[in-house]
Amino acid sequence: MIRSPASGSVLILSALAERPYRFGELRRDIGDISQRMLTQTLRDLQADGRIERTVFPITPPSVEYKLSLLGHRLLVPLSAMVDWAFAHFPEIDKARAEFRKAA
């Protein structure tokens, strides 16, 4: 489940690390993300220079997203962060449970 725009960015960048995607493919691949959140996150990633958007002049128009060179350079530290999150998931899950209980 998408919990924040930052986690949405990680999922999108991880998907685009494999290959370019069209909007609908990303939405299906990522799963639990609204069209609005996906659109905004893609725009933010494009504005930051981490992804590139290509519009193909066909009917109906087709749009494809892919990692930019800057986005590819982010994959190594991003991979380390994802590995860290998986390795520490039990601790993160416990902290979330304790936070919910205290709230």
Side-chain angles (χ1 to χ4, degrees):
M1 171 186 263
I2 300 290
R3 295 181 195 274
S4 70
S7 60
S9 295
V10 170
L11 292 173
I12 292 168
L13 292 169
S14 296
L16 294 176
E18 298 173 18
R19 64 177 176 85
Y21 275 82
R22 292 189 318 266
F23 183 90
E25 291 179 304
L26 272 173
R27 186 150 185 229
R28 282 188 299 276
D29 191 52
I30 292 172
D32 192 18
I33 186 171
S34 70
Q35 181 170 336
R36 182 176 181 213
M37 179 61 75
L38 179 58
T39 299
Q40 186 59 53
T41 305
L42 288 168
R43 284 183 183 151
D44 292 345
L45 290 170
Q46 184 182 4
D48 291 345
R50 290 182 272 172
I51 66 168
E52 297 173 358
R53 180 180 185 263
T54 304
V55 179
F56 297 98
I58 60 173
T59 305
S62 180
V63 177
E64 182 179 84
Y65 298 91
K66 68 179 185 176
L67 286 181
S68 65
L69 181 57
L70 185 62
H72 278 283
R73 290 178 183 154
L74 180 60
L75 292 179
V76 170
L78 181 64
S79 177
M81 185 180 77
V82 169
D83 291 345
W84 179 91
F86 276 116
H88 293 88
F89 181 77
E91 296 164 74
I92 295 166
D93 198 40
K94 180 181 176 190
R96 284 182 180 162
E98 290 173 0
F99 180 82
R100 283 191 302 270
K101 192 161 72 168

